[in-house]
Amino acid sequence: MLTKLTAAEAKMFLRDPGAPAVVAGIPLALLLIFGLMPGSREPSAQYGGQSSLATLIAPMAVAILLGVLALNLYPGAMAAHREKGVLKRLAASPVPPSRLLAAQLVVNLGAAVVAILLVVGVGRIALGMALPRNPGGFLAVTVLGAVALFSVGTLLAAVAPSTRAANGLGAAVFLPMLALGGVWVPKELLPPLLQHITEVLPLGATLSSLRDTAAGHAPHLLPLVSLAVVTVACSVLAARFFRWE
């Protein structure tokens, strides 16, 4: 039954022209626009002798992609199912509503995998971008960041009564993370206090750790602990407050 639900949710995701366009378009646009700027592909002392494309722009594209999926598209889809009574009908059927939640997670994580492969592939082939120097760490951080961000998204989906409310809550959470997460302004340019806040917020912690691993370093402990704490806390709260109708 999970396979059928996942297939149905995937069809709905693909039928909406906006969702695939946003998922693939935003990270690729960021990569190409900034990657074609003069000097972005050249080694820089500011980035440890590596290019800003590989160590800043590509990690930023991946982090923003995960944030859009987890904090905007996923909660909105779940809220739409609640608003239309789909969750209520499932609750009265032999199929547990949690299967729909799992199917939505599978679809969104699958979209994330495809988009990340596109970012890496286009960056490598079209722009000559170096691959992450710590590929295992980059993969692990991507997974941990996705889990943390989707746990936040699940909490938003748990309390949003309608699609409009979910979109509003998602924007209210996502936009401050962009501002304070080292996306709009690289964390090195932020005041010391805000640099610490950056590494605590889920989006900032993900981006910071992706940048570290892309440059060949091990991620710092604080962002990893933050992501783990956010995952546990938001998952517990989502399970406590999730409403099926």
Side-chain angles (χ1 to χ4, degrees):
M1 183 56 68
L2 177 59
T3 303
K4 293 181 179 180
L5 278 175
T6 302
E9 291 299 309
K11 289 179 181 178
M12 292 177 62
F13 181 89
L14 294 173
R15 283 175 184 169
D16 179 4
V22 167
V23 170
I26 289 179
L28 286 178
L30 284 171
L31 189 76
L32 292 172
I33 291 171
F34 288 103
L36 292 173
M37 288 184 175
S40 64
R41 288 174 282 174
E42 302 299 326
S44 170
Q46 182 180 358
Y47 300 104
Q50 301 179 63
S51 71
S52 62
L53 175 64
T55 57
L56 174 61
I57 298 167
M60 181 174 65
V62 172
I64 290 177
L65 162 69
L66 294 176
V68 168
L69 280 168
L71 303 177
N72 294 109
L73 297 183
Y74 166 59
M78 289 302 299
H81 284 319
R82 179 184 292 115
E83 193 174 14
K84 295 174 182 177
V86 174
L87 298 182
K88 183 178 180 180
R89 290 194 294 272
L90 279 177
S93 73
V95 181
S98 58
R99 296 281 179 87
L100 181 60
L101 181 64
Q104 268 292 320
L105 285 170
V106 170
V107 169
N108 280 276
L109 290 173
V113 170
V114 171
I116 290 171
L117 291 176
L118 281 174
V119 167
V120 174
V122 171
R124 180 63 178 168
I125 296 170
L127 302 174
M129 181 183 76
L131 296 177
R133 293 193 174 184
N134 180 358
F138 191 89
L139 176 61
V141 167
T142 301
V143 172
L144 181 57
V147 170
L149 287 166
F150 272 96
S151 70
V152 177
T154 302
L155 178 57
L156 297 180
V159 299
S162 65
T163 307
R164 180 176 295 182
N167 292 335
L169 287 172
V173 173
F174 187 44
L175 292 178
M177 285 193 192
L178 289 176
L180 299 175
V183 176
W184 287 347
V185 179
K187 67 176 183 178
E188 293 86 356
L189 302 179
L190 295 172
L193 176 60
L194 291 183
Q195 290 187 28
H196 292 299
I197 293 176
T198 294
E199 296 197 335
V200 171
L201 296 173
L203 188 65
T206 301
L207 175 56
S208 178
S209 298
L210 287 173
R211 289 185 58 186
D212 287 337
T213 53
H217 309 303
H220 290 87
L221 181 61
L222 177 60
L224 298 182
V225 172
S226 172
L227 291 173
V229 170
V230 166
T231 299
V232 173
C234 288
S235 297
V236 170
L237 290 172
R240 170 67 178 82
F241 294 108
F242 204 98
R243 295 173 296 173
W244 299 110
E245 57 181 283

